[in-house]
Amino acid sequence: MGQNAATTAFAPWNDPDANPLIRFENVTKRFGDFTAVNNLNLTVYEREFFALLGASGCGKTTLLRMLAGFETPTSGHILLDGQHINGVPPNKRAVNMMFQSYALFPHLSVWDNIAFGLRRTKMEKDEIGDRVQEMLRLTQLEPFGRRKPHQLSGGQRQRVALARSLAKAPKLLLLDEPLAALDKKLRQETQFELMDIQEKTGTTFVIVTHDQEEAMTVASRVAVMNKGNLLQVATPGEIYEGPNSVYVADFIGEVNIIEGTAKIVGPDELAIQYSENAPPIHAKIETEGFSDGQSVSYAIRPEKIGVSLTQDDPRPNKVKGTVIDIAYLGSTSTYHVRLDCGQMFSAQMTNVRRIEHREITWEDTVWLSWSNSAGLVLVK
Amino acid sequence: MNLRRLLIVIVPYAWLVGLFLIPFLIILKISLSDTAIAIPPYTPTLDLSAGWAGIKEFFSELDLENYYFLWTDSLYWKSFVSSITIATISTFLTLLVGFPIAYAMARAPSAWRPTLMMLVILPFWTSFLIRVYSWMGILSTNGFLNNFLMWTGLIDSPFHILNTPTAVYIGIVYTYLPFMILPIYSTLEKMDISLLEAAEDLGCTSRSAFWLVTVPLARYGIIAGCFLVFIPVNGEFVIPSLLGGSRINMIGKVLWDEFFNNRDWPVASAVAIILLLILVVPIVLFQRVQQKQEEATV
Ligand SMILES: Nc1ncnc2c1ncn2[C@@H]1O[C@H](COP(=O)(O)OP(=O)(O)O)[C@@H](O)[C@H]1O
Ligand SMILES: [Mg+2]
């Protein structure tokens, strides 16, 4: 899918001839009898900005540490640029890692921190100086070269860690929750800086995060993990619009999940009955693989549902309910609506009017409506 | 309102003046006096009843004679040199033994660490003198060590360890080891293990990561440990007396002999003053390191 995008779009994962930079082949990692990463297959391509997304403890860091060489897979293979790297120690890999704690050397200046990796190579002294200078410029740290890490702010330290891990021009840069320690505003700015730096240097980035907005912002593709399993790998758009499971739909952004039974009512149309007292939801969807009476989950994003005081909306799915709660979020408001049958829905509307002129309020009877292609039907 | 604050300032100063400065001045005064067969065994003594003339008289009798004597008799400067040498070598040996122990403790599972710490401190619960005596029992020609080695058949005739420098070093390293281990352990324990991973990630072998990261980060602990051993070992006299026999001359022993055997308090005081002057340099350095460390951890 999505093949109709402009030909210039960067999408090597759709090219069957492209050689991946990283390939995980049936990789499993166990700690004792606890499985941290379970039989995982994954490919990452050169120049990608790849995000590993999942709740805390799902195995993201373990996956990253296997790439860096700090952990070896219990079974399976990891290939970097076509080479098996299972037994290669961290100091022999063209991979660098930016640690979650930054791990800056407290006894060395910013300059020496950045030069640390270069000094372990056969590089000439002048070259090292030039390279460090270049890194300082790239990360806008030029005035701070002589400072020690404890004399820097959180954001500056984060940039030193980035500069240090990029200094050796690795093929692959691993970033473990690089922005988790920053406050929200700085985090958003830094996300764009990261993207900018990734583009300028052309390095492949694999970033770990538990923040879905961050993953959606920065990544070319996102992998969603849960309990050591890879659930879905796709572009941010695909994952948002086409989650392949209830877990992914729920993890990425807000969603209404409605449990019901399916009935095939047309060549590519399903009706989902979720209550005896409400009309079924109609969904335009490939009906292959579905059967009448099958229990399914219908997932629909709040912003795809319209709220109105009248019945005039022409969209085919329409139900009546009562406004229970309104969450005012500035540019949008989320309406929590209870249908007469008891089912709850969230619907999101842009606030085109000032809040004091809002026409819908608590306890109002409203009509929710959405098109029959707005939602997804997911099988457990 | 400021009375409280004044009190807080005065108490430590009063402590220092009463228990350090005044005794120091008394020793300094004695070191400038002459021996006498009297109680106390030196002259002059300050006679305030004679008024101003008495004070003038008192000061006119003080001189540097004893220091000159220390300078001319080679016994003294030789024992100073020997003390400093022994202190230096045993500080180094203690570091050699102490660092790996501190390192192992800091890397042990955290559940074990309090126990290991306890084991390091445990010897302090028995008398220092008894512990040194027991080393005599272990190291003597008919001692445990020789008996054990002969029993295993490793040696045919006993080693002579007691009353040699080796015995003194063993005694010092054993006694002062905790002073080396604890400061090093406390710096190593605080160290973030991910720093070593970062070093390896950037191309270090685990050995070069040790020298480039672990050792520099432990440096304040190492320096503090070295001072904590070096400074008191200089004045040590029990260990050289009991384990070193007559051939080992350390300044602490000389001091003891002057005070208790010769009853020459003025010379003994002069020795004590010189020892203090020698140790002022490392003590001041030690203070500065401590200060730096505090700044670095803020
Ligand atoms: N060295 C280890 N020994 C035992 N268990 C570990 C080890 N490293 C990680 N784990 C476990 O593996 C799971 C996944 O950890 P991690 O990869 O750090 O998760 P994430 O980074 O996604 O939060 C966790 O439950 C963690 O307790
Ligand atoms: Mg993690």
Side-chain angles (χ1 to χ4, degrees):
Chain A
M1 62 173 91
Q3 200 85 71
N4 52 1
T7 47
T8 51
F10 173 74
W13 48 88
N14 287 331
D15 178 359
D17 297 331
N19 281 321
L21 180 65
I22 308 164
R23 185 189 286 280
F24 282 82
E25 288 178 349
N26 306 96
V27 172
T28 295
K29 176 69 190 178
R30 289 195 194 90
F31 296 108
D33 50 13
F34 176 79
T35 307
V37 171
N38 187 19
N39 194 22
L40 186 133
N41 288 290
L42 177 66
T43 50
V44 177
Y45 295 84
E46 209 159 316
R47 292 177 158 263
E48 260 202 88
F49 200 138
F50 193 91
L52 288 168
L53 179 62
S56 177
C58 71
K60 307 178 299 286
T61 297
T62 306
L63 200 64
L64 213 60
R65 288 171 61 82
M66 286 195 281
L67 274 174
F70 296 120
E71 309 282 359
T72 31
T74 311
S75 65
H77 298 284
I78 303 174
L79 287 87
L80 179 69
D81 231 2
Q83 308 280 316
H84 283 258
I85 56 165
N86 277 16
V88 181
N91 55 356
K92 298 264 160 51
R93 295 187 181 195
V95 174
N96 282 121
M97 175 142 164
M98 185 180 152
F99 289 79
Q100 191 165 1
S101 62
Y102 304 153
L104 298 179
F105 303 122
H107 58 297
L108 299 180
S109 66
V110 168
W111 209 97
D112 289 325
N113 262 284
I114 298 172
F116 191 92
L118 301 172
R119 291 204 173 116
R120 307 301 134 227
T121 62
K122 291 201 180 72
M123 207 184 231
E124 299 287 332
K125 239 186 158 166
D126 311 349
E127 268 182 88
I128 292 179
D130 293 347
R131 182 72 184 157
V132 173
Q133 208 57 44
E134 193 186 331
M135 288 297 116
L136 288 172
R137 206 174 316 121
L138 184 70
T139 50
Q140 295 161 33
L141 284 167
E142 278 160 308
F144 305 112
R146 289 164 171 277
R147 296 242 190 125
K148 290 278 180 68
H150 69 96
Q151 296 166 319
L152 300 175
S153 71
Q156 289 163 345
R157 266 181 248 174
Q158 187 269 346
R159 296 213 294 276
V160 178
L162 181 64
R164 186 181 70 178
S165 54
L166 276 173
K168 291 180 88 173
K171 270 187 201 165
L172 173 63
L173 184 69
L174 308 171
L175 305 101
D176 192 357
E177 312 230 2
L179 310 179
L182 307 181
D183 57 60
K184 188 160 184 188
K185 188 130 179 34
L186 189 57
R187 193 158 66 220
Q188 285 168 347
E189 285 170 24
T190 314
Q191 284 167 4
F192 290 103
E193 264 176 41
L194 267 186
M195 290 161 73
D196 196 38
I197 286 172
Q198 194 262 345
E199 202 153 307
K200 270 189 199 150
T201 59
T203 314
T204 310
F205 277 27
V206 175
I207 186 176
V208 157
T209 176
H210 63 261
D211 176 349
Q212 53 100 5
E213 270 182 50
E214 183 170 299
M216 307 286 276
T217 308
V218 298
S220 58
R221 279 193 305 159
V222 178
V224 183
M225 286 181 74
N226 182 32
K227 294 185 183 154
N229 293 298
L230 204 55
L231 299 183
Q232 188 170 11
V233 184
T235 63
E238 286 164 4
I239 253 183
Y240 188 78
E241 298 294 346
N244 66 1
S245 61
V246 173
Y247 184 89
V248 174
D250 206 18
F251 196 79
I252 308 280
E254 278 183 71
V255 70
N256 295 293
I257 304 278
I258 295 128
E259 314 279 346
T261 49
K263 182 162 189 260
I264 299 171
V265 292
D268 48 3
E269 186 158 351
L270 280 183
I272 296 131
Q273 190 75 45
Y274 60 96
S275 165
E276 285 173 10
N277 311 324
I281 297 168
H282 285 263
K284 271 227 167 324
I285 194 163
E286 191 79 36
T287 51
E288 207 182 295
F290 289 103
S291 57
D292 285 354
Q294 188 179 7
S295 77
V296 293
S297 301
Y298 181 73
I300 182 160
R301 303 279 178 198
E303 72 273 13
K304 304 244 156 73
I305 303 180
V307 189
S308 168
L309 290 169
T310 64
Q311 276 198 64
D312 300 345
D313 198 308
R315 287 183 279 187
N317 289 300
K318 194 167 303 176
V319 285
K320 192 167 75 134
T322 312
V323 176
I324 298 297
D325 207 356
I326 306 175
Y328 177 68
L329 303 169
S331 60
T332 61
S333 289
T334 304
Y335 298 84
H336 297 277
V337 175
R338 186 167 55 214
L339 304 193
D340 297 340
C341 65
Q343 176 71 44
M344 289 295 299
F345 269 90
S346 308
Q348 200 171 51
M349 299 276 277
T350 310
N351 291 326
V352 282
R353 299 185 183 201
R354 294 182 59 83
I355 188 166
E356 57 271 25
H357 302 304
R358 188 166 59 192
E359 54 183 2
I360 301 171
T361 184
W362 283 267
E363 305 297 338
D364 278 356
T365 299
V366 291
W367 292 87
L368 303 178
S369 45
W370 64 96
S371 76
N372 54 11
S373 59
L376 279 175
V377 183
L378 300 167
V379 184
K380 281 276 163 63
Chain B
M1 187 194 81
N2 269 344
L3 203 70
R4 246 179 71 107
R5 197 181 262 181
L6 199 69
L7 213 67
I8 289 172
V9 177
I10 279 181
V11 168
Y13 275 99
W15 177 277
L16 277 179
V17 169
L19 295 175
F20 183 76
L21 190 62
I22 294 177
F24 172 77
L25 289 175
I26 293 172
I27 300 285
L28 182 66
K29 186 256 148 191
I30 299 174
S31 77
L32 300 172
S33 311
D34 297 317
T35 50
I37 303 179
I39 294 173
Y42 53 85
T43 69
T45 47
L46 187 54
D47 183 8
L48 283 177
S49 61
W52 182 240
I55 295 173
K56 260 172 82 172
E57 161 97 15
F58 167 78
F59 275 101
S60 70
E61 280 182 43
L62 297 179
D63 53 43
L64 290 170
E65 201 184 345
N66 297 316
Y67 293 92
Y68 184 70
F69 174 66
L70 293 190
W71 177 251
T72 50
D73 191 332
S74 68
L75 168 78
Y76 297 100
W77 64 260
K78 274 184 184 156
S79 3
F80 274 116
V81 170
S82 140
S83 283
I84 293 172
T85 314
I86 290 175
T88 309
I89 293 173
S90 43
T91 301
F92 180 70
L93 293 175
T94 314
L95 177 62
L96 231 53
V97 179
F99 192 94
I101 296 177
Y103 188 86
M105 279 170 67
R107 296 286 176 272
S110 53
W112 291 18
R113 286 182 208 160
T115 315
L116 292 172
M117 180 87 118
M118 196 67 177
L119 289 176
V120 171
I121 302 173
L122 205 62
F124 285 124
W125 291 10
T126 48
S127 152
F128 163 63
L129 217 52
I130 290 176
R131 284 182 284 134
V132 178
Y133 264 113
S134 45
W135 274 107
M136 290 174 77
I138 294 168
L139 298 177
S140 69
T141 314
N142 292 318
F144 287 116
L145 183 65
N146 277 316
N147 283 342
F148 176 74
L149 289 178
M150 302 228 304
W151 173 76
T152 58
L154 284 171
I155 55 170
D156 301 327
S157 54
F159 281 126
H160 292 286
I161 305 177
L162 195 61
N163 300 335
T164 64
T166 311
V168 175
Y169 288 128
I170 291 175
I172 293 177
V173 169
Y174 164 77
T175 308
Y176 287 89
L177 199 56
F179 296 105
M180 185 64 84
I181 292 176
L182 294 179
I184 296 178
Y185 168 74
S186 82
T187 54
L188 286 177
E189 200 225 356
K190 271 184 277 175
M191 199 180 127
D192 179 3
I193 299 298
S194 66
L195 291 176
L196 293 177
E197 289 187 342
E200 279 190 54
D201 187 65
L202 292 165
C204 278
T205 58
S206 43
R207 186 193 298 189
S208 61
F210 175 79
W211 289 108
L212 291 168
V213 178
T214 309
V215 171
L217 285 179
R219 71 193 185 282
Y220 290 123
I222 294 172
I223 295 170
C226 287
F227 280 132
L228 285 177
V229 174
F230 180 82
I231 294 169
V233 167
N234 268 292
E236 184 55 59
F237 87 97
V238 173
I239 296 171
S241 306
L242 295 183
L243 301 178
S246 55
R247 282 191 297 148
I248 305 292
N249 235 346
M250 286 184 74
I251 204 65
K253 225 173 106 186
V254 171
L255 203 71
W256 176 276
D257 287 344
E258 292 296 346
F259 256 114
F260 295 99
N261 300 348
N262 297 350
R263 277 184 68 78
D264 191 340
W265 288 23
V267 166
S269 303
V271 169
I273 296 289
I274 300 270
L275 178 62
L276 187 69
L277 289 181
I278 291 174
L279 293 183
V280 157
V281 178
I283 287 171
V284 168
L285 282 176
F286 176 63
Q287 293 290 351
R288 288 190 47 180
V289 167
Q290 290 254 298
Q291 212 168 347
K292 263 198 176 167
Q293 183 181 9
E294 261 161 42
E295 280 163 18
T297 51
V298 166

